[in-house]
Amino acid sequence: VIEIGQPEHSAVTTCAYCGVGCTFKAEMRGEEVVRMMPYKDGKANRGHSCVKGRFAWGYATHKERILKPMIRETIDQPWREVSYDEAFTFAAQKMRGIQAKYGRDSIGGITSSRCTNEETYLVQKLIRAGFGNNNVDTCARVCHSPTGYGLATTFGTSAGTQDFDSVEDSDVIMVIGANPTDAHPVFGSRMKKRLREGARLIVVDPRKIDLVKSAHVAADYHLPLLPGTNVAILTAMAHVIVTEGLVDETFVRERCDWSEFQDWAEFVSLEKNSPEAIAKISGVDAEAIRGAARLYATGGNGAIYYGLGVTEHSQGSTTVIAIANLAMATGNIGRRGVGVNPLRGQNNVQGSCDMGSFPHELPGYRHISGDAVRDQFEAMWNVKLNPEPGLRIPNMFDSAIEGTFMGLYVQGEDILQSDPNTTHVVQALSSMECVIVQDLFLNETANYAHVFLPGSTFLEKDGTFTNAERRIQRVRKVMTPRNGLADWEVTIGLAKAMGFEMKYSHPSEIMDEIAALTPTFTGVSYQKLDEMGSVQWPCNEKYPEGSPIMHVDGFVRGKGKFVVTEYVATDERTGPRFPLLLTTGRILSQYNVGAQTRRTDNVVWHGEDVLEIHPHDAEQRGIRDGDWVRLTSRAGETTLHALISERVAPGVVYTTFHHPLTQANVITTDYSDWATNCPEYKVTAVQVSQSNGP
Ligand code: SF4
């Protein structure tokens, strides 16, 4: 029993883990958290929470947190603690020196989906206005960038269509490439409640996730496709819907471009897209594909929820488009119970994208080449902006190795652990002359850094996060920043040292500037958030109370756009040396690369990543449950324990990526989404063999 005492003060704030965005009352005794109480008025969670939000906050006071800025000339030197001013001056001199030597475009930065909207906005502002280029990208590059592309192309906006409450009116729920009960547990529970009430369920996933069969819930259809065949399956479902006359023609004629629909319908009707033909590609029974398509099209309100199993593929953007096509063809858009809903992994991945973290877009998803938009920002920021899109993260790495991109500011992301092809990332980071890392801990990327700026936790700052349903919610400070400054103040300090002054006395002023510049945010203010609790964008003159559901009267782009989605097999192929396909995912108690959850000692966490392998494949290799196994791909190898399981089909293996020792990204390939460069994490040809351990 731990004596924690009674709380002395509290504040309502938002969980800093997943994109559900649960609200908590942080109850404090002095500077110590007594408990995090799920908040019953929280619109995303209604008093519920998962184990991470409720208990995994101990990292805020973990002994490994770095609380002082540090610098070093070269990465083989020891770190030297300095004042913030000295660190800012040192970093600015290096970055300016690089620009003098290699040109204006030789530096850039990466924003974080863990930080607040206000902090993200400031980083992209520093890069565009202070660095003078558009070399800004976000960690969404490696997760949901295809969502941005796919939904903007078809519907006209880069966001999910529904609020979470909408699921209460769903009759058919289709979950594709997502595992909500582990990765989005509070929303997963709401989904299960609706399923227990009688909604029907389709699961498209290579693995038997919990939803396929658990207490009181069983999928009507589980389509256990081979990793990499999403587009084939979705096109086969479209084939059934079109050829069996299940299209909602009234909706399509009124709301979509009819001519584009006809082209699409003609394409999906081809014999090569029939369930029988696709069964040979995907490994899924043709009758199951037919049954799932009929159920989605005719079962009432059909809602699609998807995750990284959709986006992290070489056809990630095509898959998002294929999902949007299905929803439009069946009229499942624009009311409660339906829609296309990306389940965002990180607390503020939606917000980081909204805030202009992409190299081609200013806040509000407006292209940097637009003169009128640039004029507006130039007037507010008092600078001349570069109209040329900047570099994406993979291009930054390639340019570093080529010797043209030499300085990087990374806020709140461990790119060495989270980006694909670790060897390539190491090579890129080692080539740079100045790497500035701003984080809570000396992460893996910091091994290659010259400047370390301490980060602050969500408990130590004010701001807002935007969850997966576009809900903007307040983050409220309950602790004095242990490192002295909140993240937004650090960015301002760095900007000033670089000669670009940004003056704000509180994050609310940053939000006022965002609202003044972003049409979907014009009605957002801290006062409104305090009054309403939260608000979903667009929130403006037209929708002063926000917008729980989008595309109600028409698509944001005007007419909904059907796009032909031709299945193209990934270049990553199995063969005699690498006969199995590896795919990856998460577990409930851990979070991403584990930077926070592994440093939380108030619960017992899962200790290691294991490799799930089907009994048939294990027996062929003489592998027993719990044995060490070597996992080898064309890119590299790692060692982990085997877990023999029928959750995966023969020919498929599965692991999580929470522990740095697993180095799952040493195994993954260089292939990426054709439209956005999102890495193809979900398909790697591998071999598994016995091992004596690491
Ligand atoms: Fe936090 Fe997500 Fe868990 Fe809610 S479901 S408590 S937002 S990790």
Side-chain angles (χ1 to χ4, degrees), residues 15 17-22 24 49-54 183-187:
C15 180
Y17 282 111
C18 86
V20 175
C22 296
F24 285 87
S49 76
C50 83
V51 66
K52 293 191 287 288
R54 183 90 195 258
H184 304 87
V186 167
F187 180 66

Side-chain angles (χ1 to χ4, degrees), residues 532-608:
M532 291 184 61
S534 63
V535 69
Q536 288 167 276
W537 70 256
C539 173
N540 47 28
E541 298 73 17
K542 191 171 175 196
Y543 307 106
E545 304 291 299
S547 311
I549 296 174
M550 295 195 77
H551 316 298
V552 174
D553 302 317
F555 287 99
V556 169
R557 72 179 302 280
K559 291 280 187 187
K561 183 178 181 64
F562 280 87
V563 179
V564 167
T565 55
E566 179 98 50
Y567 165 70
V568 179
T570 169
D571 286 334
E572 177 72 349
R573 304 289 164 90
T574 53
R577 283 177 62 216
F578 303 105
L580 306 172
L581 281 176
L582 170 74
T583 192
T584 59
R586 310 175 195 190
I587 62 161
L588 170 64
S589 60
Q590 280 283 7
Y591 185 77
N592 284 4
V593 296
Q596 289 126 299
T597 45
R598 283 186 293 101
R599 292 184 176 94
T600 300
D601 53 14
N602 49 356
V603 284
V604 179
W605 298 113
H606 133 113
E608 61 175 329

Side-chain angles (χ1 to χ4, degrees), residues 237 244 384 453:
M237 288 179 70
E244 296 189 6
K384 194 81 191 146
L453 300 172

Side-chain angles (χ1 to χ4, degrees), residues 674-693:
W674 62 271
T676 66
N677 287 126
C678 183
E680 186 166 59
Y681 285 135
K682 300 298 181 190
V683 192
T684 310
V686 294
Q687 179 57 290
V688 179
S689 54
Q690 291 175 314
S691 164
N692 293 325

